[in-house]
Amino acid sequence: MDNEHKKDITSIQNLLVPTASGEQIPLSQLATVELKESPNQIQREDTKRRIIVGFNAKGRDVQTIVEELQQKADKNLKFSPGYTISYGGTFENLNEAKARLGVAVPISLVMIFLLLFFAFGSVKHSLLIYTAIPLSAIGGIYFLALRGCLSVSVQE
């Protein structure tokens, strides 16, 4: 149908639908056609309807905003069974990065200690050098700040 006929509900009700016997009957005999307020697009993920609510966080860190949103949603929203809320986007990326770092950092610290131990052959000397790691982290943060790569969110 052209756009002009799509706007008229009677045109849609009178659409002819072919049957198995070759006969054509109006759509209004098969279904109730009426105008209703609804989302302009229904998205699906894993055969479930999905509605996306997006927002930009300005001046605050994403994790604090989502935690506050979760508390308010749990307190004020009551959903029928089958409805769920999930938080994605930057918050999801942040959680995935934390999970990866939660594995990568301990493994790398153990590997650094093992390399020091194999290089010096002494636990005492390895631990002495190993204590410099916190100081090197301070230097790394200073270098990131110097390059303008450090981003710190301030909560008001």
Side-chain angles (χ1 to χ4, degrees), residues 128-142:
L128 184 64
I129 295 171
Y130 196 72
T131 57
I133 290 176
L135 296 175
S136 65
I138 293 170
I141 291 170
Y142 176 74

Side-chain angles (χ1 to χ4, degrees), residues 37-48:
E37 283 286 324
S38 67
N40 63 352
Q41 180 181 11
I42 297 174
Q43 296 180 347
R44 294 188 182 275
E45 184 175 307
D46 295 331
T47 69
K48 296 176 185 168

Side-chain angles (χ1 to χ4, degrees), residues 12 18 30 40 43 52 54 69 84 88 101-102 116 120 124 142-143 150:
I12 296 171
L30 299 173
N40 63 352
Q43 296 180 347
I52 298 172
L69 182 63
T84 60
L101 283 174
L116 288 171
F120 296 108
K124 181 180 173 184
Y142 176 74
F143 180 72
L150 189 63

Side-chain angles (χ1 to χ4, degrees), residues 3-96:
N3 284 335
E4 196 59 39
H5 286 97
K6 287 181 188 177
K7 293 177 184 176
D8 183 24
I9 196 163
T10 56
S11 297
I12 296 171
Q13 288 172 334
N14 293 328
L15 274 175
L16 296 176
V17 179
T19 63
S21 64
E23 209 178 328
Q24 291 191 338
I25 57 173
L27 181 61
S28 60
Q29 289 182 5
L30 299 173
T32 304
V33 180
E34 55 187 28
L35 188 60
K36 292 222 174 199
E37 283 286 324
S38 67
N40 63 352
Q41 180 181 11
I42 297 174
Q43 296 180 347
R44 294 188 182 275
E45 184 175 307
D46 295 331
T47 69
K48 296 176 185 168
R49 285 187 183 178
R50 181 175 92 170
I51 298 174
I52 298 172
V53 177
F55 63 92
N56 293 325
K58 185 175 182 182
R60 292 180 60 192
D61 64 295
V62 175
Q63 180 156 357
T64 305
I65 290 174
V66 172
E67 286 173 353
E68 183 180 329
L69 182 63
Q70 285 174 331
Q71 289 173 356
K72 288 182 178 181
D74 291 343
K75 181 180 174 186
N76 299 324
L77 298 176
K78 304 296 180 223
F79 290 115
S80 301
Y83 288 89
T84 60
I85 298 177
S86 63
Y87 302 90
T90 307
F91 180 70
E92 185 177 24
N93 294 341
L94 175 68
N95 285 337
E96 288 173 2

